[in-house]
């Protein structure tokens, strides 16, 4: 159970769902261990938060456990989307713990947002990778081309193929490189997404690997933890679904600790906005 997730599933405002998919990781696997590690390294965090004057255990968060994957990724994503959609039908916000970035496909399908805001080192705009259109290297492309999302904002992107950069030049994609991230974050609040529903996805490789080495495809010169924290805080009021993905077991818990903290930051900021 995610620490502090004490609510009953049927009465929850937020529901944590683990999605330990590890099917298409292209360098160092291990995302199947991500949900368990995120839960484990969140155990030490204090319940009380001074900034929001909230107790995490009082914010009606439930943990529904993991949706275990199987060999057919497409079928798994359909099933995961149905599980997450049931959360939205109950009027709650799904919080997905990856697992590889492909699981965002299911989260977006369940929430049906207008916009995707994603923290990522990679553009993930390939039409296919190694012949697989459901690779974790294709998730933002699938969200835009197949799931009807109007636009994607990719914060922290610093690498991609030539074809991906060509796709990123289209009007439905905004790329915010690391050197511009602070300016974009500081200029963003709920008004930036007026009349839009947002899905927010944090790929931990968007952070510099010096802060989050426990991920499969490390890319130097990334974001720092405070920038990603402030990104999550900025978009939370407009967000109807959240995930944190690509955590693996190849560090001493740094990536998992950040992931758990970012999930808590999202919940606190979203809950505060609801009461204002």
């Amino acid at each position: 159970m995610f620490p502090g997730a004490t609510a009953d599933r049927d009465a929850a405002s937020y529901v944590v769902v683990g999605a330990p998919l590890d099917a298409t990781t292209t360098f160092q696997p291990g995302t199947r261990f991500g949900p368990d590690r995120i839960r484990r390294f969140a155990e030490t965090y204090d319940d009380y938060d001074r900034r929001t004057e909230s107790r995490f255990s009082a914010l009606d968060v439930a943990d529904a456990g993991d949706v275990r994957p199987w060999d057919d990724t497409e079928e798994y994503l359909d099933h995961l989307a149905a599980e997450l959609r049931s959360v939205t039908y109950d009027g709650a916000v799904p919080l997905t713990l990856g697992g590889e970035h492909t699981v965002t496909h299911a989260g977006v399908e369940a929430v049906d947002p207008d916009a995707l805001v994603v923290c990522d080192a990679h553009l993930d705009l390939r039409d296919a990778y190694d012949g697989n259109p459901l690779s974790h290297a294709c998730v933002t492309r699938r969200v835009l081309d197949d799931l009807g999302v109007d636009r994607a904002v990719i914060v922290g992107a610093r690498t991609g193929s030539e074809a991906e950069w060509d796709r990123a030049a289209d009007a439905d994609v905004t790329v915010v490189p690391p050197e511009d991230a602070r300016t974009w974050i500081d200029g963003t609040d709920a008004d930036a997404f007026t009349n839009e529903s947002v899905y927010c996805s944090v790929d931990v490789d968007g952070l510099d690997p010096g802060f989050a080495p426990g991920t499969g495809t490390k890319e130097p010169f990334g974001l720092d933890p405070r920038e990603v924290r402030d990104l999550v805080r900025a978009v939370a009021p407009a967000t109807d679904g959240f995930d944190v993905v690509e955590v693996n077991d190849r560090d001493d818990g740094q990536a998992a600790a950040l992931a758990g903290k970012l999930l808590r930051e999202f919940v606190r900021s979203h809950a505060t906005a609801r009461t204002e």
Side-chain angles (χ1 to χ4, degrees), residues 47 221 265 267:
D47 191 35
F221 312 130
E265 288 286 340
V267 172

Side-chain angles (χ1 to χ4, degrees), residues 6-192:
T6 57
D8 180 77
R9 164 67 176 80
D10 294 333
S13 297
Y14 306 90
V15 178
V16 176
V17 177
L21 184 65
D22 197 3
T24 73
T25 46
T26 48
F27 186 54
Q28 291 182 318
T31 54
R32 69 194 65 188
F33 304 115
D36 285 346
R37 283 178 70 81
I38 294 168
R39 292 180 177 106
R40 175 187 173 192
F41 284 94
E43 290 179 0
T44 63
Y45 296 140
D46 285 325
D47 191 35
Y48 176 73
D49 177 61
R50 179 70 170 174
R51 180 182 69 91
T52 58
E53 296 186 346
S54 65
R55 295 187 181 278
F56 190 79
S57 60
L59 296 178
D60 297 327
V61 182
D63 190 335
D66 289 354
V67 178
R68 293 290 179 184
W70 57 90
D71 291 343
D72 191 319
T73 299
E74 185 173 5
E75 285 188 2
Y76 172 72
L77 292 174
D78 287 344
H79 178 66
L80 177 61
E83 293 289 333
L84 297 173
R85 194 176 297 114
S86 73
V87 175
T88 69
Y89 287 166
D90 290 337
V93 177
L95 311 172
T96 306
L97 304 178
E100 64 174 69
H101 209 167
T102 306
V103 303
T104 297
H105 187 287
V108 170
E109 186 175 355
V111 171
D112 191 25
D114 301 303
L116 169 70
V117 177
V118 55
C119 168
D120 203 330
H122 308 89
L123 293 172
D124 286 354
L125 289 171
R126 298 172 188 265
D127 193 40
Y129 188 86
D130 286 341
N132 183 2
L134 292 177
S135 168
H136 71 154
C138 308
V139 63
T140 303
R141 180 70 171 266
R142 297 280 71 77
V143 165
L144 289 168
D145 290 3
D146 300 348
L147 298 182
V149 170
D150 294 334
R151 65 186 182 112
V153 182
I154 311 170
V155 183
R158 48 198 183 272
T159 188
S161 68
E162 184 175 0
E164 286 180 281
W165 284 110
D166 288 344
R167 179 65 180 86
D170 290 348
D172 59 352
V173 179
T174 299
V175 178
V176 183
E179 57 268 27
D180 296 334
R182 174 51 64 186
T183 299
W184 188 88
I185 293 164
D186 288 347
T188 298
D189 56 27
D191 293 339

Side-chain angles (χ1 to χ4, degrees), residues 252-276:
D252 291 327
Q254 296 97 314
L258 277 167
K261 196 71 168 180
L262 290 168
L263 182 146
R264 289 166 68 102
E265 288 286 340
F266 171 81
V267 172
R268 293 187 194 278
S269 296
H270 189 274
T272 298
R274 275 185 167 180
T275 60
E276 290 178 347

